[in-house]
């Protein structure tokens, strides 16, 4: 492990462009994230070609800002950690090419980082990181996975979604309820004034311990709206449906995560990915974990969604393994 390191993290896998400087694996000197949400909103989802172009446009500016904030120069960089997979091909390429070009010019190594590992390593940006073995729940727009983490980069996939990811379900339900893109934050906001018990919605794959399915709940919401079209013009009913949907997704995620903690005897739990930015989810998990003596690690909101800080941190721990 290098004693002095300054890792430049780069994340461009989807619709967030992000750059970070991490010093000695402990101090996040700067995190600059630019979301493209507004640019994609009118299309109702992420347009891949547009995402790549926007990454190309904004990345140099973010790098300048990060250098300025951390009071570092390009020559201080010792490593560049970049998300290489999974994600939108064109978007990933922008980050990878930027990393490789800079690395060539600065004569520093590039560390390839898997985006999902990055989400788990967001928990290492807090002063009290998890201890091994721990259960990791990644719930984002593209993935929903439960993993057993035995040691650094020793992951065992316990289960994942068989169809839609949890965030995808939030986005699809958001579109269905005419709340725009992305659905997650809009549903969370409206759910605050709704009754979470108003509608009964299904828990996907109820009897499968660790696998998820969210297409059934999306269809159930669709059928509910079809049978009660007044929901779309009645704010209270819409809020009730949002609250019921959110509650069911949270209960689904908790039920399977709790089972994984129990079966594998883990008292540490890391929860990350865009969906875990949801404060109702965070408080449900906090209450349940407290009752069951589980040490819960949820990154700060800005670190739950896509960011380069988590990529730099995963890169740092990759180095410690060499
Ligand atoms: O991790 P992330 O930023 O990007 C991916 O790797 O996919 O996750 C984005 C997803 C979107 O589907 C978005 O609707 C969801 O996370 N999301 C939320 C919230 N904020 C973002 N879902 C529920 N509640 C939120 N507050
Ligand atoms: Zn993500």
């Amino acid at each position: 492990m290098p004693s002095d390191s300054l890792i430049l993290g780069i994340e461009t896998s989807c619709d967030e462009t992000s750059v970070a400087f991490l010093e000695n694996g402990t101090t996040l000197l700067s995190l600059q994230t630019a979301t493209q949400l507004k640019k994609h909103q009118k299309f109702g989802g992420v347009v891949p070609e547009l995402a790549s172009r926007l990454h190309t446009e904004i990345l140099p500016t973010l790098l300048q800002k990060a250098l300025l904030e951390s009071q570092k120069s390009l020559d201080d960089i010792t490593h560049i950690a970049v998300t290489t997979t999974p994600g939108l091909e064109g978007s990933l390429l922008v980050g990878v090419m930027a990393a490789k070009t800079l690395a060539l010019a600065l004569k520093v190594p590039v560390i390839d980082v898997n985006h999902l590992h990055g989400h788990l390593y967001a928990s290492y940006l807090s002063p009290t990181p998890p201890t091994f073995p721990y259960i990791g729940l990644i719930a984002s727009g593209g993935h929903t996975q439960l993993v057993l983490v035995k040691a650094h980069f020793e992951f065992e996939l316990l289960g994942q979604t068989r169809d839609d990811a949890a965030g995808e379900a939030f986005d699809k339900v958001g579109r269905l309820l005419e709340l725009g893109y992305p659905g997650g934050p809009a549903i969370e906001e409206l759910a605050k004034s709704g009754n979470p018990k108003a509608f009964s919605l299904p828990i996907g794959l109820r009897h499968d311990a660790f696998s998820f399915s969210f297409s059934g709940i999306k269809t159930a919401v669709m059928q509910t709206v079809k049978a009660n079209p007044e929901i779309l013009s009645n704010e209270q009913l819409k809020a009730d449906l949002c609250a019921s949907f959110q509650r069911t997704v949270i209960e689904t995620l908790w039920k399977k995560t709790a089972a994984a903690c129990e079966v594998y005897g883990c008292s540490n739990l890391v929860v990350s990915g865009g969906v875990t930015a949801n404060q109702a989810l965070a408080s449900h998990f906090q209450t349940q974990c407290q009752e069951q003596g589980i040490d819960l690690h949820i990154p700060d909101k800005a670190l739950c969604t896509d960011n380069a800080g988590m990529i730099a941190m995963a890169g740092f721990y990759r180095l410690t393994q060499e």
Side-chain angles (χ1 to χ4, degrees):
M1 188 197 312
S3 53
D4 290 315
S5 66
L6 181 70
I7 301 182
L8 164 64
I10 300 178
E11 157 64 39
T12 62
S13 69
C14 190
D15 58 351
E16 254 101 34
T17 319
S18 187
V19 164
F21 278 111
L22 177 71
E23 194 166 54
N24 302 330
T26 52
T27 316
L28 196 56
L29 297 177
S30 180
L31 173 60
Q32 302 288 335
T33 303
T35 180
Q36 307 176 354
L37 279 180
K38 286 212 162 66
K39 301 273 169 53
H40 295 285
Q41 249 159 8
K42 59 173 175 272
F43 302 105
V46 179
V47 181
E49 293 79 3
L50 180 59
S52 315
R53 182 147 43 83
L54 292 170
H55 286 308
T56 313
E57 281 172 18
I58 194 79
L59 201 53
T61 313
L62 293 184
L63 180 56
Q64 291 286 3
K65 279 190 183 170
L67 283 168
L68 208 68
E69 189 182 22
S70 31
Q71 300 195 319
K72 296 285 179 188
S73 74
L74 285 175
D75 289 334
D76 296 324
I77 296 171
T78 59
H79 303 80
I80 303 176
V82 61
T83 306
T84 53
T85 193
L88 300 171
E89 283 299 317
S91 289
L92 286 166
L93 257 179
V94 175
V96 171
M97 287 316 294
K100 289 199 170 169
T101 310
L102 267 173
L104 199 66
L106 301 174
K107 299 188 176 62
V108 297
V110 172
I111 314 164
D112 295 355
V113 175
N114 177 299
H115 181 79
L116 301 180
H117 297 170
H119 273 304
L120 293 175
Y121 276 92
S123 62
Y124 281 80
L125 288 162
S126 98
T128 50
T131 54
F132 299 116
Y134 71 80
I135 295 294
L137 168 70
I138 303 158
S140 69
H143 298 85
T144 304
Q145 291 192 344
L146 268 174
V147 288
L148 170 64
V149 187
K150 298 172 189 164
H152 286 298
F153 300 99
E154 262 188 57
F155 306 103
E156 184 182 330
L157 180 64
L158 303 179
Q160 58 187 328
T161 183
R162 298 215 185 137
D163 39 57
D164 292 348
E168 196 178 346
F170 268 96
D171 293 336
K172 287 179 175 169
V173 166
R175 212 169 300 148
L176 221 105
L177 298 180
E178 300 170 351
L179 297 172
Y181 173 83
I187 289 176
E188 177 175 11
E189 195 47 42
L190 203 51
K192 286 179 187 158
S193 51
N195 171 8
K197 295 272 166 71
F199 295 92
S200 171
L201 297 166
I203 288 188
L205 298 178
R206 181 183 281 278
H207 301 295
D208 183 311
F210 310 134
S211 299
F212 300 91
S213 164
F214 292 102
S215 72
I217 188 167
K218 170 200 66 191
T219 308
V221 170
M222 199 189 299
Q223 282 164 347
T224 305
V225 174
K226 221 171 170 179
N228 311 277
E230 68 277 15
I231 289 175
L232 292 180
S233 52
N234 181 320
E235 279 302 291
Q236 188 54 55
L237 284 178
K238 211 191 255 195
D240 289 346
L241 188 51
C242 282
S244 304
F245 166 78
Q246 180 175 275
R247 171 184 65 88
T248 313
V249 172
I250 293 170
E251 279 177 6
T252 306
L253 292 171
W254 170 251
K255 177 179 151 69
K256 289 160 193 273
T257 304
C261 289
E262 193 183 332
V263 169
Y264 289 92
C266 290
S267 60
N268 267 249
L269 169 63
V270 170
V271 165
S272 188
V275 176
T276 67
N278 185 296
Q279 293 309 290
L281 180 146
S283 75
H284 186 80
F285 271 59
Q286 262 147 12
T287 310
Q288 298 293 328
C289 283
Q290 221 158 23
E291 269 175 26
Q292 309 203 10
I294 295 171
D295 200 353
L296 174 66
H297 304 263
I298 301 189
D300 290 346
K301 210 172 161 184
L303 300 172
C304 284
T305 47
D306 290 350
N307 70 87
M310 66 188 198
I311 302 303
M313 190 54 99
F316 176 79
Y317 279 97
R318 281 285 305 279
L319 287 179
T320 68
Q321 305 301 295
E322 285 174 357

